[in-house]
Amino acid sequence: MEFNPLTGICLSALLVVAVLVIVAFVRGSAGLRTYIITRVLLTIPMVFVLTTIIFFVMRVIPGDPVTSQLGPRGGAEARERMTRELGLDRPIGVQYVDYMTGVLRLDLGNSLIFGNRPVAEELGERLPATLELIVPSLLFATGFGILGGTFAAQRRKTATDYGLRLFSITAYSIPVFWLGLMLQIVFSLRLDLTPVAGRMDAVIGTTLERTTNLYLVDSLITGNFPAFFSALHHLILPVLSLGLILSGVFLRLSRINVIEALTEDYITAGRARGIPERVLTYKHALGNAFIPIIALIGLQFSVLLAGAVLTETTFSWPGMGLYLIERIGQRDYTAVQGVIVVFALSVTLISLITDIIYAYLDPRVQY
Amino acid sequence: MDNDILMRVEDLDVRYKTRIGYVSACDGINLDIYKGEVLGLVGESGSGKSTLGKALMRLHPRSTVQTGHLWFDGDDLMAYSPRQMRRIRGERISMIFQDPMTSLNPIQRIADHITETIKTHRPQTSDEAARARAAELLDVLGITPRRLDEYPHQMSGGMRQRIMISLALSLNADLIIADEATTSLDVIVEAQFMSLLKDLCREFNLTILLITHNIGLVAQLSDRVAVMYGGRLAEVGDVGTLFKDPKHPYTQGLLGSVPSIKLHDKDELYRMEGSPPDLIAPPSGCRFHPRCPHAMQVCVEQQPPLAEVEPGNPAACWLHHPIPEGHSAEPLPDRQEAPA
């Protein structure tokens, strides 16, 4: 099997799963072990069912890859030839079995549109791009949102609190593309501080040796610092717009949960033992408020894998969302199926990690 | 005697803000707590006894108005800054809370509860010393130190209550306020708790303010009792005298309402008429007058002083004090004559 970034990502994901499973086995209860094994095994039918559904749904909806490429006026002969070349003339059952056996061998097939590149190779470029966008955005959003929310909760009904609440409502009611455009206008066009779009300066990009397609990682491991800073420079605006928008939800959720935790008896009891308010708020209350926040982080991560499409469009960021929309439009069956397989695996992995973090954070959680 | 006062509560008022007005939960409380005594504070639900307990540690939120003086060790705690107050809490005055099921942080190990408290007040304590102290405390309370690393949900209610006690004892506080500490426990655990507390009192010479509506608990544990009604003190006295010969009609009614297994068929349980006063618009004069079987004209017009009836046994009732000029001792139309 040839090595490409997608395989790399899959392998690192597997590594993460392996580490988690080992940790759970060593430190967790018997219940947690069974739970993790069940969850990992359940992924198989889940991927199977999802892929099957997508396989047939894609073929039921009107339009097909041949028409989308040749246009409505394409000659009958050309159509026939292309249909045969793409293997779409075979009975649908045969196509299905063929595709599914491929998936079992971790072969996602070739794209059906011009170029017919392997889907795995294309995803290997797109998934890292999305990860490089959403991981920093989520870090920014959660860091800022959780601290801001806790800060506001501690100062409930003061000017600071009202200010932060106003910010959070504004943040999550602003469309991300609008904020992105405004940032581009101010920082890129007026102030000329940041690039308008893309992942890296085109000239510097030619010097970058790509292995993982996470540009920050690639440039660091090859010691290509101009490329690293270029990647960082290009990340600022997209991460800022996506992160600010997301931070609104995290701020609201953290604030309300910390406020609720602060009314608990153990907070009063702690106060009666002379524990400082700062410790009560950031350790005791926030610690207990963390469960729903973790759930939201996991959920947002899954959503953003495809849902960052507006940010990706605004900043011409060649990520998964953009890819999915593009390929649905072109009826590129295999590409869409490939995306779904990757999503299914990611969602499982994320919820598995979330659940293990739960069990770690809250000793009462039983599986 | 004066030297032995640990805390003197002087003219303490506590008012909660609500949407429809201020609730006068504690009104002009004057109370001395002596060193080494167990002082029972009894009263119905809503009589302001828990409010008083929290007020002694100034645990009420800023929206609650609290005035008066809390003389403790020569200082007025009411004049303390939040920072000074924080140093007092846990170290000098500690509290055992009503509900042991919710008063421990569910995500914190038992040991961490104790060591955190110790290290907050004595930051120079080493981790090992703090942990050793935690183990020692658990041992005193009859819990094996093996359970130090467990979480609260792994323990029973009685055990958690003992953890709460160990937290209150962890820094040898001078005054321990036990706020309805046994309410959520079943009778057997409650009995164990009582005998444990009794032993601890003897062993460590603790000063305890025992807030409860359980008269039996007070009778067993306390040296003195303070009876609260409608945010005011009705009567204070030592347990023997007060239980044998209650002066205030409310105390009489309260003691008569305690069911006993030895009650004969003919003895009827006393049923107090009416309901506790509305503290947003409390009754004029004596707050107990709408329910008092002996209420007189003066009781409606003038608040009775908490003055001594017998040495060390003050009661706030006009039956025992000279009626001021211009007021009448005529019983209210529907009430009976004062007892001779």
Side-chain angles (χ1 to χ4, degrees):
Chain A
M1 188 165 68
E2 78 180 292
F3 182 83
N4 82 50
L6 185 70
T7 351
I9 289 176
C10 287
L11 285 179
S12 28
L14 275 178
L15 196 71
V16 172
V17 172
V19 168
L20 285 176
V21 171
I22 291 168
V23 167
F25 265 72
V26 175
R27 300 202 43 194
S29 61
L32 186 62
R33 274 173 232 170
T34 337
Y35 176 77
I36 289 175
I37 294 174
T38 326
R39 282 296 288 270
V40 171
L41 290 178
L42 269 176
T43 317
I44 297 164
M46 182 175 132
V47 169
F48 179 79
V49 169
L50 274 174
T51 327
T52 307
I53 292 173
I54 287 301
F55 184 93
F56 290 104
V57 166
M58 284 303 289
R59 282 157 177 80
V60 165
I61 53 175
D64 61 86
V66 176
T67 315
S68 79
Q69 286 175 87
L70 294 179
R73 279 191 290 272
E77 200 182 315
R79 288 183 63 95
E80 207 174 298
R81 199 178 59 238
M82 188 176 246
T83 310
R84 200 169 48 244
E85 275 170 13
L86 296 177
L88 296 173
D89 56 337
R90 297 171 299 163
I92 196 161
V94 175
Q95 289 182 45
Y96 176 70
V97 171
D98 190 43
Y99 180 74
M100 290 310 264
T101 37
V103 171
L104 277 181
R105 285 182 281 119
L106 294 180
D107 174 11
L108 295 177
N110 288 345
S111 160
L112 299 183
I113 64 159
F114 180 72
N116 303 103
R117 295 177 65 203
V119 171
E121 200 181 296
E122 292 191 314
L123 288 174
E125 290 163 11
R126 299 304 189 117
L127 184 60
T130 293
L131 289 178
E132 201 163 64
L133 171 66
I134 66 177
V135 170
S137 302
L138 269 175
L139 283 178
F140 175 82
T142 49
F144 181 69
I146 293 172
L147 288 181
T150 314
F151 195 76
Q154 201 188 357
R155 287 158 189 77
R156 199 182 170 189
K157 290 185 180 169
T158 63
T160 323
D161 181 30
Y162 288 121
L164 282 166
R165 286 172 72 184
L166 188 68
F167 164 80
S168 87
I169 296 178
T170 319
Y172 80 65
S173 43
I174 290 180
V176 69
F177 56 85
W178 184 85
L179 180 63
L181 282 172
M182 292 301 123
L183 290 175
Q184 283 174 330
I185 290 173
V186 174
F187 290 100
S188 306
L189 300 184
R190 291 284 153 81
L191 302 174
D192 201 19
L193 289 173
T194 51
V196 182
R199 291 183 71 189
M200 186 172 279
D201 185 272
V203 179
I204 298 178
T206 54
T207 67
L208 180 70
E209 200 180 309
R210 291 175 175 79
T211 37
T212 64
N213 269 333
L214 294 163
Y215 288 1
L216 288 177
V217 176
D218 284 345
S219 54
L220 269 188
I221 52 177
T222 53
N224 188 344
F225 290 106
F228 179 75
F229 288 116
S230 175
L232 214 55
H233 201 192
H234 281 77
L235 265 173
I236 296 175
L237 283 195
V239 165
L240 200 61
S241 23
L242 189 54
L244 275 177
I245 300 263
L246 287 172
S247 69
V249 192
F250 284 105
L251 204 150
R252 247 179 123 68
L253 187 77
S254 314
R255 177 181 172 274
I256 201 76
N257 277 291
V258 171
I259 283 180
E260 206 175 287
L262 279 173
T263 64
E264 296 284 348
D265 287 347
Y266 54 79
I267 297 292
T268 318
R271 195 171 287 137
R273 293 199 297 275
I275 314 271
E277 289 300 316
R278 182 176 37 81
V279 178
L280 288 173
T281 313
Y282 287 92
K283 185 177 160 193
H284 295 252
L286 183 57
N288 277 281
F290 229 87
I291 302 281
I293 300 173
I294 289 291
L296 184 69
I297 296 176
L299 223 67
Q300 285 286 2
F301 198 96
S302 310
V303 168
L304 282 178
L305 278 177
V309 60
L310 289 177
T311 322
E312 290 175 359
T313 314
T314 314
F315 292 97
S316 314
W317 197 267
M320 294 285 277
L322 213 51
Y323 180 74
L324 182 62
I325 300 285
E326 212 175 277
R327 296 308 164 92
I328 290 178
Q330 295 168 331
R331 300 292 183 271
D332 186 349
Y333 302 153
T334 38
V336 175
Q337 285 154 207
V339 170
I340 297 302
V341 171
V342 169
F343 279 174
L345 292 175
S346 320
V347 169
T348 314
L349 183 67
I350 291 162
S351 61
L352 196 62
I353 295 175
T354 319
D355 286 336
I356 291 174
I357 294 178
Y358 273 179
Y360 178 75
L361 283 181
D362 190 340
R364 289 165 301 180
V365 171
Q366 297 281 321
Y367 290 106
Chain B
M1 198 67 173
D2 236 35
N3 279 342
D4 290 321
I5 292 177
L6 181 63
M7 184 185 259
R8 163 163 278 174
V9 182
E10 208 176 302
D11 296 325
L12 184 75
D13 284 1
V14 181
R15 291 184 301 154
Y16 293 115
K17 200 174 163 183
T18 67
R19 263 173 302 159
I20 44 173
Y22 277 100
V23 176
S24 156
C26 284
D27 182 50
I29 304 287
N30 284 290
L31 186 66
D32 290 341
I33 301 171
Y34 297 104
K35 268 182 192 146
E37 77 167 344
V38 177
L39 174 62
L41 183 61
V42 294
E44 293 165 291
S45 313
S47 60
K49 49 192 197 308
S50 282
T51 304
L52 177 58
K54 277 189 172 173
L56 298 189
M57 289 182 93
R58 294 187 56 203
L59 277 177
H60 291 293
R62 252 172 297 174
S63 57
T64 302
V65 183
Q66 180 175 346
T67 57
H69 303 284
L70 296 169
W71 298 104
F72 182 74
D73 217 15
D75 281 343
D76 185 2
L77 295 186
M78 292 301 289
Y80 271 24
S81 68
R83 192 189 197 87
Q84 286 173 304
M85 209 49 230
R86 197 169 65 64
R87 289 212 195 96
I88 294 284
R89 293 182 194 135
E91 168 107 49
R92 307 290 310 276
I93 308 176
S94 59
M95 195 153 182
I96 304 172
F97 282 88
Q98 201 155 3
D99 192 349
M101 306 309 268
T102 58
S103 298
L104 294 167
N105 184 348
I107 59 168
Q108 202 178 24
R109 291 174 200 274
I110 299 302
D112 298 337
H113 277 92
I114 303 176
T115 51
E116 184 186 34
T117 311
I118 295 173
K119 297 195 78 166
T120 298
H121 291 282
R122 295 172 195 166
Q124 71 282 6
T125 317
S126 71
D127 287 350
E128 297 75 35
R131 204 184 149 84
R133 172 77 180 140
E136 181 193 325
L137 280 164
L138 253 58
D139 195 45
V140 169
L141 294 166
I143 299 176
T144 154
R146 261 189 296 123
R147 308 201 65 166
L148 271 175
D149 287 318
E150 289 191 2
Y151 287 96
H153 74 276
Q154 290 167 292
M155 303 197 145
S156 67
M159 277 179 131
R160 286 193 221 184
Q161 190 56 286
R162 278 181 278 168
I163 302 293
M164 295 303 297
I165 302 173
S166 71
L167 280 169
L169 294 177
S170 54
L171 291 164
N172 300 317
D174 302 288
L175 173 62
I176 295 175
I177 300 168
D179 183 8
E180 305 266 16
T182 62
T183 313
S184 57
L185 304 178
D186 63 63
V187 275
I188 297 187
V189 181
E190 183 174 7
Q192 289 170 346
F193 174 82
M194 284 197 302
S195 70
L196 178 70
L197 211 56
K198 226 172 187 172
D199 294 345
L200 291 172
C201 285
R202 218 175 293 128
E203 206 173 320
F204 299 107
N205 195 28
L206 303 174
T207 307
I208 297 181
L209 178 66
L210 189 68
I211 302 173
T212 180
H213 52 235
N214 185 335
I215 305 285
L217 195 68
V218 171
Q220 286 215 24
L221 282 176
S222 311
D223 303 304
R224 290 194 310 139
V225 199
V227 182
M228 249 185 125
Y229 182 81
R232 287 180 186 156
L233 284 177
E235 187 168 0
V236 184
D238 67 74
V239 172
T241 344
L242 194 134
F243 278 10
K244 206 184 303 151
D245 179 22
K247 302 292 184 300
H248 198 286
Y250 175 68
T251 319
Q252 294 164 0
L254 189 69
L255 294 176
S257 316
V258 180
S260 160
I261 219 155
K262 290 181 200 135
L263 211 63
H264 297 293
D265 288 347
K266 275 179 273 171
D267 303 340
E268 249 187 67
L269 206 56
Y270 179 77
R271 190 170 59 89
M272 205 179 290
E273 296 295 329
S275 51
D278 170 14
L279 294 179
I280 290 176
S284 62
C286 173
R287 286 183 178 177
F288 186 56
H289 85 252
R291 301 171 78 184
C292 181
H294 315 298
M296 304 174 283
Q297 286 299 336
V298 61
C299 303
V300 185
E301 293 151 5
Q302 193 85 35
Q303 177 187 344
L306 184 68
E308 282 192 345
V309 179
E310 281 165 22
N313 183 190
C317 181
W318 285 122
L319 290 174
H320 303 281
H321 302 306
I323 288 158
E325 229 170 285
H327 296 282
S328 124
E330 188 66 27
L332 293 182
D334 52 340
R335 314 296 163 94
Q336 64 203 65
E337 205 58 51

